[in-house]
Amino acid sequence: MKRILWIPYPTVIILIRVFLGLIFFGAGMSKLYFEHKFPGIIGPVWLEDELTQYGLGMYARFIACAQVITGLLLFSQRFATLGALLLFPILLNILMVTVSLEWQGTPYVNGALILLNIWLLLYDWPKLRFIFSDHTESVKHIPFKRTSRKADRGWIILSVIILLTIPISYLNLTLAWIICAGAVLGLVVNQIIARKQKIRLKKH
């Protein structure tokens, strides 16, 4: 098996997905939560306040929502390819905003994140290459199969619960944190169960 240093290559991809997922999930939630009281690795949490001066407050909120959803997609692993696709234009938008506003250092951080995003897209090239093909008839006949639709439904339900904690945070911040933490833990358990089921099916 191909390795990077001592880590198996597929594990490296999973770690990159989790890393980017957590970064953008936290970045989006910290912008949307009451008084920005949500842990996040990168910011700025005051992006909406900054962009509102230019009539772009709603755009900043849209970016924050997109960051949360994309982070959840990447973190899930089940929908990580879709997450990587959505993340690319988000990163380009953020890069253009930071360059336009002449923020020092931030464009370089975004540039590094874009490179990681491109790495994920290259890894998923077998899933994406049909987009660039002129012969897509064979693709139409590929059956739609999911290893566990139950796990898919679980991810959707738990993600909706996480999003609902945003308005809840304006009513009761502690309750919102507790519900969100429980839902995130549920996502982890859901992913572990789905992965074990997939391994069992491969063995049989």
Side-chain angles (χ1 to χ4, degrees):
M1 180 183 290
K2 183 179 178 182
R3 294 173 180 268
I4 296 180
L5 297 178
W6 66 92
I7 306 174
Y9 187 56
T11 303
V12 172
I13 295 300
I14 290 174
L15 291 174
I16 293 173
R17 288 170 174 171
V18 171
F19 173 68
L20 291 176
L22 289 175
I23 279 180
F24 286 93
F25 171 72
M29 293 291 276
S30 63
K31 293 182 183 73
L32 297 169
Y33 250 52
F34 176 67
E35 293 185 346
H36 309 303
K37 291 183 178 179
F38 192 93
I41 300 173
I42 64 173
V45 295
W46 39 261
L47 179 65
E48 184 176 349
D49 299 330
E50 179 74 19
L51 294 183
T52 297
Q53 303 175 47
Y54 307 94
L56 295 172
M58 186 176 293
Y59 169 72
R61 187 154 285 250
F62 169 77
I63 289 292
C65 291
Q67 286 178 325
V68 172
I69 294 170
T70 301
L72 288 171
L73 288 168
L74 284 166
F75 187 62
S76 74
Q77 302 298 321
R78 296 183 63 77
F79 308 106
T81 303
L82 179 57
L85 279 172
L86 291 176
L87 181 60
F88 192 66
I90 291 173
L91 281 171
L92 290 180
N93 269 271
I94 294 172
L95 179 63
M96 289 300 101
V97 168
T98 56
V99 170
S100 299
L101 296 178
E102 298 181 349
W103 291 354
Q104 299 299 317
T106 309
Y108 298 104
V109 174
N110 280 312
L113 296 177
I114 287 173
L115 290 177
L116 288 176
N117 192 186
I118 291 173
W119 189 351
L120 293 182
L121 293 173
L122 290 174
Y123 179 80
D124 285 328
W125 173 248
K127 297 180 182 180
L128 303 172
R129 61 185 177 184
F130 73 90
I131 298 173
F132 302 95
S133 174
D134 292 327
H135 307 284
T136 57
E137 285 302 317
S138 59
V139 178
K140 296 178 182 178
H141 302 293
I142 297 176
F144 179 78
K145 292 182 179 179
R146 297 296 296 174
T147 305
S148 175
R149 293 179 183 271
K150 183 178 180 181
D152 291 346
R153 289 193 296 270
W155 179 86
I156 292 171
I157 291 169
L158 289 167
S159 295
V160 170
I161 290 173
I162 289 171
L163 292 173
L164 287 175
T165 65
I166 296 170
I168 292 175
S169 72
Y170 287 81
L171 302 173
N172 189 316
L173 187 60
T174 304
L175 178 62
W177 282 337
I178 292 172
I179 295 174
C180 186
V184 170
L185 179 61
L187 284 177
V188 175
V189 173
N190 185 64
Q191 173 62 24
I192 292 172
I193 293 173
R195 187 172 180 80
K196 286 183 177 179
Q197 183 177 356
K198 188 176 181 179
I199 293 172
R200 280 199 304 269
L201 289 173
K202 282 185 177 180
K203 288 181 178 179
H204 295 290

